[in-house]
Amino acid sequence: MKKIIIPLALGSLLTAGQVHAQKWTETRAGTIATVTNRGGQTLGYSTTSGVKLLTVDGFAFKDLNKNGKLDKYEDWRLPADVRAKDLASQLSVEQIAGLMLYSRHQPIPAAAGGPFAGTYGGKVFAQSGVQPFDLSDQQKEFLTKDNLRHILVTSVQSPEIAAQWNNNVQALVESTGLGIPANTSSDPRHGTRADAEYNAGAGGAISMWPGSLGLAATFNPELVRQFGQIAATEYRALGIATALSPQVDLATDPRWNRASGTFGEDPLLATDMARTYIDGFQTSTGAKEIRNGWGFNSVNAMVKHWPGGGSGEGGRDAHYGYGKYAVYPGKNFKSHFLPFINGAFKLNGKTGMASAVMPYYTISQGQDAKYGENVGNSYNKYIIGDLLRGKYGYDGVVCTDWLVTGDETAVDVFLTGKSWGVEKLSVGERHYKALMAGVDQYGGNNEMGPVLEAYQLGVKEQGEAKIRARFEQSAVRLLKNIFRVGLFENPYLDPAETKATVGKAEYMQAGYQAQLKSVVMLKNKANVLPLTKNKTVYVPKRFTPAGRNFLGMAIPEKLDYPVNMEIVKKYFKVTDNPYEADYALVFIQSPNSNGGYNSEEAKAGGTGYVPISLQYGDYTAQGTRDPSIGGGDPLETFTNRTYRGKSTKTINSSDLTMVTETAAKMKGKPVIVSMNMANPAVVGEFEKQTNALLVNFGVQDQAMMDILTGASEPSALLPMQMPADMQTVEAQFEDVPRDMKSYVDSEGNTYDFGFGLNWKGIIKDARTSKYKKPALTLK
């Protein structure tokens, strides 16, 4: 980059007597100008945005509102809260309403169809002739017309394109209004498939780490801090300043389909992991620090989902109307607060607490001790206002989960509104109710209209002065999170630096080592592991039936190897004939059930409610709850959601057949099973037919090969119990951690929380001493 010193007359507005005291220089690369203040903050702005520089006390400042004077919010020497209050006071109601929006999912470039579609000049990307980093029509509209400043990014073609897109966004918003920069966010994107939440797909090179359950399985909070630090560095290089994570819900019901995104079911382990994760993400040090641990390497952590979403009745999930009720038969509601109040809100680092909180969709049935409402958590004044804001003193941003304010269209559709308990209110009334409960921001809303409607409702009910003050309160919270991470000073990126940072070798290595530390060995009969390299192995193909993913998108059936055979061949000789093999390696997924609802059964006149199975074989529920605790939906004519006596099939029942048929073909030769575990499983269906059993939570095939051949020793522990059978699953309480009877295998080992083997046997160390104590509760 060629360094250009910009003449004062062109680059700045000087106060009297300051000409000879200038302490800054400027360089330009294309349309991006970088200003270096000696002894102060580095600034960045677009030469196309109309922004000029002010020189005060010899330092440069950006004149974002273009009024020719230094406002408090433009003065990087002042604390974030002072700047935020000054800016909030200058904003129109429409501008505050825009701050309160959080965009729908944004692929870069926009998809041609489906739920994340977008256009460029009215055409899909492939037909538009634009660059992948150009802004879509929809993005331009919500950034300018609706004043939106918080964007959720999903897929990107490459890190460099992400950086260029970020610069285009920032240049646009810098040119409008008071120059508030965009705060871009992401769901978790560091998995071994590098995909975002709900399989929206992150794409782009980035370091690969085990999933959240895998991080929990290491029982090593310091490793999670390291992950947070590296992930934050890569996020900021991509232009991402807010992480929609960590998910610290206690996965107290093993059937919940979001368990894989948690740190497991134990309150103490989840608390420690939450604390270090957020410390890693939010803390800047050295030259990157601005103030109080915040700075240019900080990423706001939006911890989720208050007050805990892991106790859906029957294990059902509240993304769907059929899973809207969280229940507490064990009277354990408050224990779900522990990872928040003792972890996310009590950090060891200087940032103090997570900067944002997301409530879950669920109706926490019967837990409103003051107002007696059974409404979704974002609407519940007791849960948000009295508990989170009041008792626990949380004053950061509270953002609803996505589509909370929309209209429900079906109980079994993912991309529908999720206004649980307030379905009869108008969209504007829902916004107002959530606001008065203590919410600041609305996830998945691109349009400011309903927020302005909420404002007018407030004017009628309490007068304009009070509702304006309430709007400003949210604006200050939202703006502080943008100020603290330095976006007002320099939101721009150098694409070359982004390319060099994201997925750099040392980050990849750190992620790979974490993967190795996340694999749990449950069984090693007669020390069959580690295997000898270059022996002959048989790997059966895995059948995946046609189905639908979490978003409801169709998945075609396929029959293929479940691992990359080219990697396997670097460790072993491979045969398709089990009779020639020394070992069989069988790679399976944990049982994948139907979410607890069968649409076809409902269409045939039934209720639709069926059990969620954690076993591969067909399952019929017996002795289950009847009537249900939760029930009722405007689209249903009944309230009893029991599934007693009903049956369900597991989508991947053929995984069990893979194991049993392979064992028969091997005729006593070793069968090693590797399970990718999203939920606990009833392994009693096949465990006796295995010589070794390992579970992982999302690792690269190479990591499994390194474990199997002894290049790395297994060291992880189970972050959740493995149930003895489905009767045990039905008997446990949805809200209580570690309350199942655990499976005992053929070697006499109990697959309980904190169990794991290494080459010497059962692991007993400082981790098991600390975490295998009885689970904490908060009554």
Side-chain angles (χ1 to χ4, degrees):
M1 180 175 66
K2 184 178 180 181
K3 185 174 181 180
I4 306 171
I5 305 298
I6 306 300
L8 297 181
L10 298 178
S12 67
L13 301 172
L14 295 165
T15 57
Q18 298 299 318
V19 175
H20 301 295
Q22 181 177 311
K23 301 174 183 178
W24 57 270
T25 56
E26 179 177 318
T27 58
R28 292 185 180 179
T31 60
I32 306 301
T34 302
V35 179
T36 303
N37 280 297
R38 296 190 300 278
Q41 295 300 332
T42 297
L43 313 180
Y45 70 97
S46 170
T47 58
T48 65
S49 69
V51 165
K52 294 188 181 299
L53 299 179
L54 301 168
T55 299
V56 177
D57 298 329
F59 294 111
F61 303 85
K62 293 195 289 186
D63 186 18
L64 291 168
N65 61 6
K66 307 174 182 67
N67 67 354
K69 66 177 184 178
L70 182 64
D71 292 81
K72 287 182 179 180
Y73 88 89
E74 297 165 335
D75 190 343
W76 44 258
R77 299 169 299 184
L78 297 176
D81 58 340
V82 173
R83 301 175 71 186
K85 289 175 183 176
D86 175 63
L87 179 53
S89 70
Q90 298 186 41
L91 296 176
S92 67
V93 173
E94 289 78 9
Q95 288 168 324
I96 296 177
L99 274 179
M100 298 168 98
L101 303 176
Y102 222 124
S103 84
R104 302 183 188 106
H105 298 62
Q106 300 296 309
I108 311 300
F116 311 131
T119 57
Y120 300 82
K123 300 178 180 178
V124 299
F125 172 72
Q127 299 171 0
S128 66
V130 303
Q131 296 294 327
F133 46 75
D134 287 334
L135 306 188
S136 70
D137 300 332
Q138 292 74 22
Q139 290 162 2
K140 291 175 183 177
E141 181 171 3
F142 65 58
L143 289 170
T144 55
K145 177 183 175 182
D146 295 287
N147 300 308
L148 184 148
R149 291 296 180 270
H150 293 80
I151 308 170
L152 172 54
V153 168
T154 57
S155 61
V156 295
Q157 280 192 1
S158 71
E160 306 97 292
I161 287 172
Q164 291 168 298
W165 178 84
N166 168 83
N167 290 350
N168 287 337
V169 169
Q170 300 296 0
L172 175 60
V173 297
E174 190 175 73
S175 69
T176 63
L178 282 79
I180 300 172
N183 183 356
T184 300
S185 72
S186 175
D187 283 312
R189 57 197 309 120
H190 279 84
T192 53
R193 291 175 299 167
D195 60 2
E197 200 172 20
Y198 317 136
N199 294 320
I206 201 165
S207 62
M208 294 188 288
W209 297 71
S212 294
L213 269 182
L215 292 173
T218 69
F219 279 60
N220 184 348
E222 288 307 309
L223 182 149
V224 175
R225 185 194 310 277
Q226 180 194 27
F227 162 71
Q229 292 168 339
I230 290 174
T233 301
E234 292 183 304
Y235 272 28
R236 290 306 299 267
L238 290 166
I240 297 167
T242 294
L244 301 187
S245 60
Q247 184 187 336
V248 304
D249 311 80
L250 298 180
T252 47
D253 192 291
R255 297 164 290 190
W256 189 37
N257 66 12
R258 298 201 69 184
S260 62
T262 74
F263 294 126
E265 62 179 315
D266 183 71
L268 179 58
L269 181 62
T271 295
D272 288 350
M273 294 297 187
R275 185 185 305 111
T276 54
Y277 184 109
I278 297 166
D279 266 336
F281 265 90
Q282 290 191 169
T283 303
S284 291
T285 58
K288 293 286 188 178
E289 183 178 2
I290 297 173
R291 184 179 278 110
N292 299 325
W294 290 101
F296 293 103
N297 206 60
S298 298
V299 172
N300 293 289
M302 185 179 290
V303 62
K304 56 191 187 184
H305 305 86
W306 177 265
S311 61
E313 187 164 22
R316 297 185 294 270
D317 182 67
H319 279 89
Y320 302 88
Y322 62 69
K324 65 167 66 174
Y325 294 100
V327 296
Y328 305 90
K331 304 185 187 312
N332 206 45
F333 176 57
K334 293 181 181 178
S335 294
H336 290 255
F337 303 173
L338 289 169
F340 295 91
I341 64 175
N342 290 343
F345 302 163
K346 291 183 180 178
L347 304 180
N348 292 329
K350 291 192 288 184
T351 64
M353 65 172 57
S355 67
V357 170
M358 182 188 293
Y360 203 41
Y361 297 113
T362 45
I363 295 171
S364 294
Q365 180 76 5
Q367 300 309 307
D368 185 339
K370 187 172 182 179
Y371 310 102
E373 284 196 301
N374 280 313
V375 294
N377 290 314
S378 291
Y379 298 104
N380 195 297
K381 188 175 180 180
Y382 174 70
I383 288 173
I384 304 298
D386 292 74
L387 289 178
L388 179 62
R389 296 290 195 196
K391 183 175 182 178
Y392 298 113
Y394 185 76
D395 194 40
V397 167
V398 175
C399 177
T400 75
D401 213 328
W402 265 235
L403 302 181
V404 160
T405 57
D407 291 328
E408 180 186 19
T409 58
V411 297
D412 59 344
V413 173
F414 180 86
L415 291 173
T416 188
K418 308 171 199 304
S419 50
W420 310 146
V422 295
E423 293 93 343
K424 293 182 180 180
L425 298 181
S426 70
V427 174
E429 288 170 338
R430 292 170 197 158
H431 281 74
Y432 182 62
K433 184 173 179 62
L435 178 76
M436 300 318 295
V439 162
D440 303 298
Q441 197 167 31
Y442 306 97
N445 289 25
N446 288 8
E447 297 85 20
M448 67 178 177
V451 186
L452 297 179
E453 185 180 341
Y455 184 84
Q456 292 304 321
L457 290 169
V459 170
K460 291 179 182 179
E461 183 174 289
Q462 52 189 302
E464 186 150 19
K466 287 187 177 180
I467 192 63
R468 168 74 197 196
R470 177 64 188 88
F471 261 54
E472 281 195 31
Q473 182 184 41
S474 288
V476 170
R477 291 169 178 156
L478 291 158
L479 289 167
K480 279 173 64 176
N481 288 354
I482 305 176
F483 278 113
R484 291 191 293 200
V485 298
L487 289 174
F488 272 88
E489 277 56 72
N490 187 11
Y492 295 96
L493 302 171
D494 179 345
E497 289 185 12
T498 293
K499 181 179 181 180
T501 300
V502 178
K504 67 192 301 184
E506 66 183 87
Y507 297 166
M508 287 290 190
Q509 179 62 19
Y512 187 74
Q513 291 302 314
Q515 292 179 48
L516 293 172
K517 294 174 182 176
S518 73
V519 177
V520 183
M521 183 165 68
L522 295 178
K523 182 178 180 180
N524 192 20
K525 184 177 181 179
N527 294 321
V528 65
L529 298 180
L531 303 178
T532 303
K533 290 186 72 173
N534 297 318
K535 289 283 189 174
T536 303
V537 299
Y538 167 65
V539 180
K541 291 183 177 180
R542 182 173 185 266
F543 174 71
T544 303
R548 295 188 179 277
N549 66 10
F550 196 55
L551 286 169
M553 297 177 178
I555 300 173
E557 71 170 52
K558 67 176 181 177
L559 177 65
D560 201 357
Y561 288 109
V563 290
N564 186 329
M565 294 304 290
E566 294 306 310
I567 291 177
V568 175
K569 289 174 183 178
K570 293 180 180 180
Y571 292 79
F572 301 104
K573 298 174 184 176
V574 175
T575 179
D576 288 330
N577 185 352
Y579 305 107
E580 300 174 351
D582 298 303
Y583 317 113
L585 306 180
V586 186
F587 297 88
I588 62 176
Q589 305 281 336
S590 54
N592 182 2
S593 194
N594 52 27
Y597 190 85
N598 187 316
S599 301
E600 296 305 315
E601 197 249 15
K603 291 176 182 177
T607 65
Y609 290 90
V610 295
I612 296 174
S613 179
L614 298 182
Q615 68 182 39
Y616 294 103
D618 295 354
Y619 169 62
T620 300
Q622 299 294 336
T624 54
R625 188 179 295 137
D626 188 6
S628 60
I629 296 173
D633 187 280
L635 300 179
E636 294 178 338
T637 59
F638 55 88
T639 58
N640 186 2
R641 295 180 161 192
T642 186
Y643 50 84
R644 186 175 66 173
K646 292 188 177 182
S647 300
T648 191
K649 294 179 180 293
T650 305
I651 296 169
N652 59 329
S653 60
S654 57
D655 281 12
L656 175 61
T657 308
M658 283 176 65
V659 179
T660 56
E661 289 185 351
T662 299
K665 293 174 181 177
M666 291 297 290
K667 297 185 180 299
K669 290 183 290 186
V671 175
I672 293 89
V673 173
S674 173
M675 176 190 291
N676 186 332
M677 195 173 100
N679 291 85
V682 178
V683 297
E685 294 175 295
F686 65 86
E687 174 271 322
K688 291 181 175 62
Q689 294 173 279
T690 70
N691 298 83
L693 174 60
L694 302 99
V695 297
N696 73 85
F697 309 91
V699 300
Q700 293 170 261
D701 295 339
Q702 183 180 347
M704 288 307 305
M705 295 300 110
D706 280 344
I707 292 285
L708 290 172
T709 58
S712 182
E713 184 174 16
S715 61
L717 308 167
L718 280 176
M720 300 180 74
Q721 294 177 308
M722 298 285 262
D725 48 41
M726 278 305 299
Q727 288 68 38
T728 296
V729 174
E730 297 287 2
Q732 58 90 40
F733 288 150
E734 286 95 336
D735 60 320
V736 178
R738 296 168 54 187
D739 65 336
M740 287 194 299
K741 177 184 177 183
S742 299
Y743 179 73
V744 179
D745 73 5
S746 59
E747 303 300 292
N749 290 322
T750 302
Y751 294 177
D752 201 352
F753 170 82
F755 172 76
L757 301 172
N758 58 23
W759 302 141
K760 296 178 182 178
I762 297 174
I763 297 172
K764 294 181 180 180
D765 56 19
R767 299 173 300 162
T768 58
S769 296
K770 178 176 182 179
Y771 291 108
K772 288 197 72 173
K773 297 174 182 177
L776 291 174
T777 58
L778 180 65
K779 298 299 184 183

